[in-house]
Amino acid sequence: MMTTTVAAPATTAPAAKAQVKRSWTQHGLLFVAPFLLVYVAFLVWPTLLGLRMSFTDVNIAGSNDRFVGFSNYAEAFGDPRMWRSLWNTLVFTVLSTVPLVLLGLGLALLVHNLRFVQWLWRLSFFGPFLLPSAVVSILWLQMIYPPEYGLLNGTLGTDILWLGDPGTAMWSVVLTTVWWTVGFNFLLYLAALQSIPQHLYEAAAIDGASAWDKLRSITLPMLGRTTALIVVLQLLASLKVFDQIYLMTGGGPEDATRPIIEYAYDVGFTGYRIGYASAVSYILFVLIVIVSLVQLRLFRKRAEVSS
């Protein structure tokens, strides 16, 4: 006796998959809902509110909320103090990014090739990064830079006002920042070095490659993505510098170190002009977006060429 099987409708399997997908989507949205609420409440909404304020003349008390259009932006672009603070920010970014990348790479290469007490070197180089900005600032302000009894003048035999001279104040803040944050770049580079396949170095050694040849032909190319990541993170962090400069110099002397975020803080909470401070903040925001997009495009082209 022959039996016949009735085939299930062709739409049953796709319909079941679609139902399962909708179920997973609903459960996923349920799990991420708390994060989305916090994200909207503390990031999206303040961002939109700040953008609205930048087109008004609202003060710190919330009064005089009058729409002024692009007047705040026009005033900011014509304000020499804003341009000075923006220039200080760019100078700090250049002066700090280059040594932080190169020094982080050098320290990682050094520790990676050491064969004894690596944990001690890792702790020594990464330890300062764990300190709060206030602790780092007070440490250097009270122990390293004082002209009479500071460690730096005592070692060099000088009496330089490191934080009181417009010619040395920015360099002093950069030195403190490098000592404080280089450990993060060092750790990223060290992790990347440990992930490079060892057989590449063994093959190069068989071919008679020197240590410099291995560094130039294997290590540095393999660290390309890590270097790109570090440069992006470092530029973004430097453009947003505020803590250590505010604590160590207050933007002085003679506004020689005041970054644009501190200028926005001063005009907003000291000059009570929240609308104008919001406009200055969004000028910095646009600058950061432009820098990020340019870097992304450059790194994407480089990846396409290398592939």
Side-chain angles (χ1 to χ4, degrees):
M1 180 177 179
M2 297 179 60
T3 59
T4 59
T5 59
V6 179
T11 58
T12 302
K17 291 181 179 179
Q19 184 177 1
V20 171
K21 185 176 181 180
R22 284 196 300 269
S23 177
W24 277 105
T25 302
Q26 293 172 357
H27 286 84
L29 291 176
L30 183 63
F31 277 106
V32 301
F35 168 77
L36 290 178
L37 291 176
V38 174
Y39 183 81
V40 171
F42 293 98
L43 184 64
V44 177
W45 172 245
T47 300
L48 297 177
L49 182 62
L51 181 61
R52 175 187 174 278
M53 287 182 175
S54 68
F55 295 103
T56 67
D57 61 350
V58 61
N59 59 32
I60 198 170
S63 58
N64 299 328
D65 190 359
R66 182 171 56 91
F67 181 77
V68 295
F70 289 93
S71 298
N72 288 328
Y73 291 93
E75 181 182 351
F77 283 115
D79 188 353
R81 296 174 300 171
M82 194 281 292
W83 287 109
R84 176 68 184 274
S85 63
L86 181 58
W87 173 253
N88 290 337
T89 303
L90 296 177
V91 169
F92 175 86
T93 300
V94 173
L95 293 181
S96 61
T97 299
V98 175
L100 279 170
V101 174
L102 296 180
L103 190 58
L105 174 61
L107 293 176
L109 290 171
L110 175 64
V111 173
H112 182 66
N113 291 303
L114 290 175
R115 301 304 178 187
F116 57 95
V117 291
Q118 279 197 0
W119 66 269
L120 179 61
W121 300 108
R122 294 175 186 174
L123 178 62
S124 300
F125 295 143
F126 185 69
F129 182 74
L130 302 176
L131 299 176
S133 58
V135 174
V136 174
S137 301
I138 293 174
L139 176 66
W140 283 74
L141 190 63
Q142 300 294 329
M143 299 184 63
I144 309 297
Y145 288 140
E148 299 86 5
Y149 56 87
L151 180 62
L152 190 56
N153 276 337
T155 303
L156 300 177
T158 59
D159 57 353
I160 299 175
L161 297 173
W162 296 101
L163 297 175
D165 187 342
T168 59
M170 182 63 77
W171 290 96
S172 301
V173 175
V174 168
L175 178 61
T176 302
T177 303
V178 170
W179 176 85
W180 175 33
T181 60
V182 72
F184 180 73
N185 297 343
F186 153 76
L187 201 64
L188 291 179
Y189 270 127
L190 186 61
L193 283 171
Q194 293 175 346
S195 66
I196 298 178
Q198 191 63 30
H199 66 82
L200 297 178
Y201 295 104
E202 295 173 356
I206 294 175
D207 293 336
S210 63
W212 169 250
D213 293 331
K214 295 177 183 178
L215 176 64
R216 179 173 54 87
S217 301
I218 300 176
T219 304
L220 294 182
M222 295 294 290
L223 295 178
R225 292 183 179 273
T226 302
T227 300
L229 173 64
I230 289 175
V231 170
V232 171
L233 294 177
Q234 193 57 58
L235 285 175
L236 296 181
S238 297
L239 288 172
K240 298 184 295 182
V241 62
F242 174 76
D243 296 5
Q244 62 269 39
I245 292 181
Y246 183 78
L247 293 170
M248 296 179 69
T249 67
E254 301 175 9
D255 290 341
T257 60
R258 181 163 65 169
I260 190 170
I261 289 185
E262 184 176 343
Y263 178 66
Y265 171 84
D266 289 338
V267 298
F269 293 96
T270 303
Y272 307 122
R273 300 186 60 193
I274 298 299
Y276 181 68
S278 299
V280 174
S281 300
Y282 273 89
I283 292 174
L284 175 62
F285 172 76
V286 172
L287 175 63
I288 291 176
V289 170
I290 292 174
V291 171
S292 302
L293 292 177
V294 170
Q295 288 181 322
L296 180 62
R297 187 174 183 84
L298 291 176
F299 293 144
R300 183 177 297 174
K301 285 185 176 181
R302 184 176 302 177
E304 292 175 355
V305 171
S306 60
S307 60

XYZ file of all heavy atoms in Angstrom, residues 8-81:
574
model
N 4.330 20.486 2.997
C 3.885 21.676 3.718
C 3.918 22.872 2.789
O 4.681 22.910 1.829
C 4.801 21.930 4.921
N 3.063 23.786 3.006
C 3.064 24.979 2.160
C 4.440 25.628 2.138
O 5.171 25.642 3.134
C 2.007 25.883 2.836
C 1.139 24.949 3.588
C 1.999 23.821 4.035
N 4.785 26.152 0.996
C 6.128 26.734 0.845
C 6.334 27.931 1.737
O 7.468 28.298 2.049
C 6.355 27.130 -0.621
N 5.251 28.555 2.168
C 5.386 29.767 2.966
C 5.517 29.480 4.460
O 5.721 30.400 5.238
C 4.166 30.672 2.742
O 2.985 29.949 3.083
C 4.078 31.118 1.281
N 5.401 28.187 4.839
C 5.436 27.890 6.275
C 6.801 28.170 6.882
O 6.912 28.827 7.926
C 5.055 26.418 6.503
O 3.756 26.189 5.965
C 5.069 26.092 7.979
N 7.866 27.667 6.250
C 9.211 27.864 6.790
C 9.609 29.333 6.843
O 10.060 29.824 7.884
C 10.213 27.049 5.979
N 9.437 30.104 5.771
C 9.764 31.538 5.870
C 8.932 32.266 6.900
O 9.427 33.153 7.600
C 9.495 32.057 4.445
C 9.627 30.856 3.577
C 9.107 29.719 4.393
N 7.658 31.895 7.005
C 6.806 32.562 7.988
C 7.274 32.263 9.406
O 7.279 33.138 10.271
C 5.355 32.128 7.804
N 7.686 31.000 9.626
C 8.183 30.636 10.952
C 9.471 31.391 11.273
O 9.666 31.867 12.396
C 8.419 29.131 11.021
N 10.356 31.504 10.278
C 11.602 32.237 10.496
C 11.329 33.705 10.793
O 11.964 34.312 11.661
C 12.500 32.106 9.271
C 13.060 30.708 9.063
C 13.969 30.668 7.849
C 14.550 29.268 7.663
N 15.443 29.200 6.462
N 10.380 34.270 10.068
C 10.040 35.675 10.300
C 9.468 35.880 11.692
O 9.767 36.865 12.372
C 9.053 36.153 9.237
N 8.658 34.901 12.150
C 8.082 35.007 13.483
C 9.154 34.919 14.557
O 9.146 35.664 15.533
C 7.033 33.919 13.681
C 6.301 34.014 15.021
C 5.214 32.967 15.149
O 5.021 32.165 14.238
N 4.515 32.988 16.269
N 10.097 33.982 14.359
C 11.203 33.856 15.319
C 12.046 35.125 15.338
O 12.468 35.620 16.382
C 12.070 32.633 14.964
C 13.340 32.611 15.811
C 11.279 31.350 15.167
N 12.278 35.705 14.148
C 13.079 36.925 14.069
C 12.388 38.077 14.787
O 13.030 38.844 15.509
C 13.308 37.284 12.600
C 14.235 38.475 12.403
C 14.493 38.714 10.925
C 15.442 39.907 10.745
N 15.718 40.167 9.316
N 11.062 38.199 14.610
C 10.327 39.246 15.312
C 10.386 39.039 16.812
O 10.509 39.996 17.587
C 8.871 39.259 14.837
C 8.668 39.903 13.461
C 7.206 40.229 13.231
N 6.388 39.028 13.289
C 6.084 38.267 12.242
N 6.557 38.585 11.041
N 5.318 37.195 12.375
N 10.315 37.772 17.236
C 10.378 37.483 18.663
C 11.721 37.888 19.245
O 11.800 38.520 20.304
C 10.121 35.996 18.907
O 10.247 35.678 20.278
N 12.803 37.527 18.521
C 14.136 37.911 18.986
C 14.295 39.427 19.002
O 14.924 39.998 19.903
C 15.197 37.281 18.090
C 15.535 35.876 18.457
C 15.166 34.743 17.805
C 16.294 35.447 19.584
N 15.645 33.629 18.445
C 16.359 34.031 19.538
C 16.921 36.105 20.621
C 17.025 33.278 20.491
C 17.599 35.364 21.587
C 17.637 33.957 21.513
N 13.752 40.105 17.999
C 13.844 41.562 17.947
C 13.124 42.197 19.133
O 13.644 43.130 19.763
C 13.248 42.082 16.626
O 13.940 41.493 15.532
C 13.360 43.597 16.547
N 11.941 41.692 19.448
C 11.197 42.240 20.575
C 11.942 42.024 21.891
O 12.023 42.929 22.725
C 9.816 41.592 20.631
C 8.922 41.967 19.452
C 7.631 41.177 19.418
O 7.425 40.289 20.251
N 6.767 41.474 18.453
N 12.475 40.806 22.070
C 13.236 40.544 23.290
C 14.494 41.407 23.342
O 14.881 41.896 24.419
C 13.599 39.057 23.381
C 12.443 38.174 23.740
N 11.556 37.713 22.804
C 12.017 37.682 24.943
C 10.635 36.957 23.397
N 10.892 36.927 24.694
N 15.139 41.586 22.203
C 16.337 42.417 22.179
C 16.052 43.857 22.548
O 16.784 44.473 23.336
N 14.965 44.396 22.000
C 14.590 45.765 22.341
C 14.252 45.893 23.820
O 14.529 46.927 24.443
C 13.393 46.194 21.483
C 13.669 46.395 19.990
C 12.369 46.712 19.251
C 14.683 47.513 19.777
N 13.666 44.839 24.377
C 13.333 44.874 25.798
C 14.595 44.945 26.656
O 14.645 45.664 27.654
C 12.510 43.636 26.160
C 12.021 43.551 27.614
C 11.088 44.706 27.924
C 11.339 42.219 27.860
N 15.627 44.209 26.243
C 16.863 44.199 27.021
C 17.642 45.512 26.899
O 18.273 45.952 27.860
C 17.755 43.034 26.577
C 17.394 41.726 27.228
C 16.738 40.729 26.525
C 17.710 41.497 28.560
C 16.403 39.529 27.123
C 17.378 40.298 29.179
C 16.724 39.305 28.465
N 17.608 46.129 25.722
C 18.391 47.360 25.534
C 17.600 48.606 25.903
O 18.151 49.715 25.868
C 18.882 47.483 24.073
C 19.735 46.299 23.686
C 17.712 47.652 23.097
N 16.332 48.447 26.238
C 15.499 49.608 26.567
C 16.075 50.447 27.712
O 16.103 51.680 27.608
C 14.075 49.163 26.891
N 16.544 49.845 28.839
C 17.119 50.692 29.901
C 18.295 51.528 29.424
O 18.407 52.708 29.757
C 17.541 49.657 30.964
C 16.669 48.481 30.719
C 16.471 48.425 29.248
N 19.182 50.918 28.623
C 20.315 51.680 28.101
C 19.851 52.797 27.178
O 20.364 53.917 27.225
C 21.275 50.762 27.354
C 22.305 51.498 26.551
C 23.399 52.076 27.169
C 22.161 51.637 25.180
C 24.340 52.778 26.434
C 23.097 52.323 24.432
C 24.194 52.896 25.064
N 18.863 52.501 26.319
C 18.379 53.517 25.389
C 17.759 54.693 26.140
O 17.933 55.853 25.750
C 17.349 52.903 24.428
C 17.894 51.921 23.389
C 16.763 51.348 22.545
C 18.921 52.605 22.486
N 17.038 54.403 27.212
C 16.444 55.479 27.999
C 17.516 56.369 28.612
O 17.425 57.604 28.574
C 15.542 54.889 29.099
C 14.257 54.208 28.615
C 13.515 53.578 29.793
C 13.355 55.208 27.901
N 18.541 55.743 29.186
C 19.640 56.522 29.773
C 20.391 57.292 28.698
O 20.758 58.459 28.871
C 20.593 55.587 30.549
C 21.821 56.344 31.035
C 19.872 54.952 31.723
N 20.613 56.650 27.549
C 21.334 57.284 26.441
C 20.584 58.511 25.931
O 21.190 59.571 25.714
C 21.510 56.263 25.318
C 22.296 56.754 24.138
C 23.690 56.778 24.174
C 21.655 57.184 22.979
C 24.421 57.228 23.088
C 22.371 57.637 21.887
C 23.754 57.654 21.949
O 24.469 58.110 20.875
N 19.269 58.379 25.770
C 18.480 59.513 25.287
C 18.407 60.610 26.334
O 18.535 61.807 26.024
C 17.063 59.039 24.905
C 16.163 60.224 24.614
C 17.129 58.115 23.697
N 18.236 60.228 27.614
C 18.052 61.218 28.677
C 19.324 62.003 28.965
O 19.260 63.206 29.245
C 17.561 60.526 29.947
N 20.491 61.344 28.892
C 21.724 61.997 29.304
C 22.670 62.346 28.165
O 23.718 62.945 28.414
C 22.464 61.117 30.316
C 21.736 60.984 31.624
C 20.960 59.874 31.886
C 21.812 61.978 32.584
C 20.281 59.744 33.080
C 21.133 61.861 33.782
C 20.367 60.742 34.042
N 22.334 61.980 26.924
C 23.201 62.339 25.807
C 22.430 62.994 24.662
O 22.731 64.126 24.276
C 23.949 61.103 25.287
C 24.956 61.391 24.167
C 26.064 62.291 24.685
C 25.556 60.101 23.617
N 21.423 62.298 24.156
C 20.693 62.829 23.001
C 19.942 64.097 23.369
O 20.056 65.130 22.694
C 19.732 61.763 22.442
C 18.918 62.347 21.287
C 20.511 60.545 21.967
N 19.167 64.053 24.462
C 18.382 65.216 24.840
C 19.262 66.405 25.214
O 19.006 67.535 24.744
C 17.426 64.867 25.977
C 16.714 66.044 26.559
C 16.820 66.540 27.821
C 15.776 66.894 25.883
N 16.037 67.636 27.989
C 15.369 67.897 26.803
C 15.253 66.915 24.592
C 14.470 68.883 26.479
C 14.354 67.920 24.255
C 13.959 68.876 25.192
N 20.316 66.268 26.049
C 21.192 67.421 26.308
C 21.857 67.969 25.052
O 22.073 69.175 24.930
C 22.226 66.857 27.291
C 21.550 65.722 27.957
C 20.686 65.122 26.899
N 22.205 67.068 24.114
C 22.815 67.534 22.871
C 21.848 68.404 22.080
O 22.213 69.485 21.593
C 23.262 66.328 22.024
O 24.212 65.555 22.764
C 23.908 66.798 20.732
N 20.609 67.960 21.944
C 19.614 68.751 21.220
C 19.269 70.034 21.967
O 19.078 71.101 21.350
C 18.349 67.916 21.009
C 18.525 66.661 20.139
C 17.208 65.882 20.076
C 18.993 67.030 18.743
N 19.220 69.948 23.303
C 18.926 71.143 24.094
C 20.047 72.172 23.962
O 19.796 73.377 23.844
C 18.729 70.759 25.559
C 18.352 71.893 26.521
C 17.026 72.510 26.120
C 18.282 71.369 27.958
N 21.304 71.691 23.980
C 22.425 72.608 23.804
C 22.428 73.255 22.434
O 22.774 74.438 22.288
N 22.060 72.476 21.407
C 21.981 73.044 20.063
C 20.918 74.136 19.998
O 21.128 75.189 19.374
C 21.662 71.937 19.061
C 21.572 72.359 17.594
C 22.889 72.943 17.115
C 21.150 71.171 16.724
N 19.789 73.894 20.640
C 18.755 74.928 20.673
C 19.243 76.173 21.415
O 19.005 77.302 20.969
C 17.501 74.373 21.345
C 16.392 75.402 21.535
C 15.239 74.853 22.355
N 14.259 75.881 22.651
C 14.374 76.753 23.641
N 15.440 76.718 24.452
N 13.426 77.654 23.843
N 19.940 75.969 22.533
C 20.430 77.111 23.304
C 21.425 77.955 22.520
O 21.527 79.171 22.736
C 21.094 76.618 24.600
C 20.146 76.122 25.649
S 21.013 75.608 27.152
C 19.627 75.223 28.216
N 22.171 77.312 21.623
C 23.178 78.057 20.866
C 22.556 79.094 19.938
O 23.258 79.985 19.449
C 24.046 77.092 20.054
O 23.302 76.476 19.009
N 21.252 79.003 19.691
C 20.560 79.972 18.851
C 19.746 80.966 19.681
O 18.895 81.672 19.137
C 19.638 79.257 17.861
C 20.368 78.414 16.858
C 20.413 77.044 16.999
C 21.026 78.997 15.779
C 21.095 76.252 16.077
C 21.711 78.221 14.865
C 21.744 76.852 15.008
N 19.999 81.008 20.993
C 19.280 81.934 21.873
C 20.287 82.724 22.695
O 21.489 82.445 22.681
C 18.333 81.169 22.815
O 19.110 80.373 23.734
C 17.398 80.256 22.033
N 19.792 83.699 23.449
C 20.643 84.467 24.349
C 20.356 84.113 25.801
O 20.450 84.951 26.696
C 20.451 85.967 24.128
C 19.011 86.403 24.408
O 18.144 85.527 24.588
O 18.760 87.623 24.455
N 20.000 82.863 26.065
C 19.667 82.414 27.415
C 20.881 82.571 28.322
O 22.030 82.363 27.910
C 19.186 80.944 27.387
C 20.260 80.015 26.871
C 18.723 80.492 28.765
N 20.641 82.958 29.574
C 21.724 83.070 30.539
C 21.652 81.927 31.536
O 20.834 81.025 31.410
C 21.697 84.432 31.250
C 20.386 84.666 31.985
O 19.761 83.730 32.486
N 19.952 85.914 32.047
N 22.515 81.961 32.531
C 22.626 80.831 33.445
C 21.378 80.671 34.305
O 21.110 79.582 34.822
C 23.880 80.992 34.338
C 24.246 79.653 34.971
C 23.664 82.059 35.386
C 25.582 79.659 35.670
N 20.598 81.721 34.449
C 19.370 81.636 35.227
C 18.199 81.134 34.405
O 17.107 80.931 34.930
C 19.032 82.997 35.821
N 18.418 80.943 33.094
C 17.362 80.449 32.228
C 16.446 81.524 31.697
O 15.468 81.229 31.009
N 16.725 82.787 31.998
C 15.875 83.877 31.526
C 16.406 84.432 30.207
O 17.484 84.050 29.734
C 15.830 84.990 32.579
O 17.148 85.460 32.852
N 15.636 85.346 29.611
C 16.003 85.965 28.328
C 16.224 84.918 27.252
O 17.170 84.999 26.469
C 17.257 86.829 28.477
C 17.056 87.970 29.457
O 15.950 88.495 29.582
N 18.116 88.338 30.157
N 15.336 83.929 27.235
C 15.460 82.850 26.244
C 14.892 83.348 24.910
O 13.846 82.913 24.454
C 14.713 81.618 26.740
C 15.007 80.390 25.886
O 15.775 80.524 24.909
O 14.471 79.319 26.183
N 15.640 84.246 24.288
C 15.193 84.877 23.056
C 15.975 84.326 21.877
O 17.204 84.206 21.935
C 15.391 86.391 23.157
C 14.915 87.186 21.937
C 14.960 88.674 22.252
N 16.287 89.067 22.673
C 17.246 89.504 21.840
N 16.998 89.573 20.546
N 18.421 89.863 22.315
N 15.282 83.977 20.806
C 15.932 83.431 19.620
C 16.724 84.536 18.920
O 16.198 85.596 18.598
C 14.881 82.855 18.671
C 15.466 82.236 17.429
C 16.051 80.983 17.475
C 15.443 82.924 16.229
C 16.592 80.409 16.340
C 15.983 82.360 15.077
C 16.561 81.100 15.138
N 18.017 84.250 18.685
C 18.896 85.237 18.051
C 19.514 84.703 16.769
O 20.393 85.343 16.193
C 20.008 85.684 19.029
C 19.418 86.415 20.228
C 20.844 84.488 19.473
N 19.087 83.534 16.336
C 19.613 82.988 15.085
C 21.090 82.625 15.199
O 21.527 82.020 16.177
N 21.851 83.037 14.194
C 23.278 82.715 14.151
C 24.146 83.817 14.766
O 25.353 83.854 14.503
C 23.713 82.464 12.702
C 23.182 81.181 12.129
C 21.996 81.170 11.409
C 23.862 79.980 12.323
C 21.494 79.987 10.878
C 23.365 78.795 11.805
C 22.180 78.800 11.076
N 23.555 84.666 15.575
C 24.330 85.774 16.151
C 25.447 85.272 17.053
O 26.553 85.826 17.055
C 23.396 86.707 16.931
O 22.438 87.285 16.081
N 25.173 84.227 17.845
C 26.208 83.693 18.724
C 27.380 83.122 17.925
O 28.550 83.304 18.284
C 25.622 82.606 19.623
C 24.704 83.166 20.690
O 24.908 84.281 21.173
N 23.676 82.416 21.059
N 27.071 82.446 16.837
C 28.127 81.885 16.006
C 28.922 82.984 15.310
O 30.155 82.909 15.206
C 27.532 80.927 14.968
C 26.971 79.659 15.564
C 25.629 79.566 15.911
C 27.794 78.562 15.795
C 25.110 78.403 16.466
C 27.286 77.400 16.345
C 25.945 77.328 16.679
O 25.439 76.172 17.240
N 28.230 84.001 14.838
C 28.934 85.122 14.206
C 29.839 85.824 15.203
O 30.981 86.198 14.874
C 27.913 86.103 13.620
N 29.363 85.990 16.430
C 30.191 86.610 17.457
C 31.402 85.748 17.799
O 32.511 86.253 17.998
C 29.365 86.865 18.719
C 30.145 87.524 19.835
C 29.323 87.719 21.099
O 28.086 87.482 21.040
O 29.903 88.097 22.128
N 31.179 84.430 17.859
C 32.286 83.526 18.189
C 33.373 83.564 17.125
O 34.574 83.619 17.439
C 31.761 82.101 18.360
N 32.981 83.556 15.855
C 33.968 83.584 14.783
C 34.707 84.924 14.721
O 35.804 84.994 14.161
C 33.301 83.284 13.437
C 33.000 81.834 13.228
C 31.681 81.394 13.135
C 34.020 80.894 13.139
C 31.395 80.057 12.948
C 33.739 79.547 12.955
C 32.425 79.131 12.864
N 34.125 85.956 15.296
C 34.805 87.238 15.344
C 35.469 87.526 16.667
O 35.985 88.635 16.873
N 35.483 86.558 17.572
C 36.039 86.736 18.914
C 37.491 86.272 18.937
O 37.762 85.067 18.798
C 35.209 85.933 19.921
C 35.615 86.221 21.353
O 36.614 86.923 21.567
O 34.934 85.707 22.275
N 38.456 87.175 19.111
C 39.866 86.746 19.138
C 40.189 85.823 20.297
O 41.086 84.974 20.201
C 40.634 88.067 19.241
C 39.657 89.048 19.791
C 38.319 88.622 19.282
N 39.457 85.925 21.410
C 39.704 85.029 22.541
C 39.306 83.595 22.212
O 39.956 82.645 22.647
C 38.940 85.522 23.770
C 39.387 86.882 24.290
C 38.485 87.329 25.410
N 37.100 87.431 24.950
C 36.059 87.632 25.751
N 36.239 87.742 27.058
N 34.830 87.706 25.252
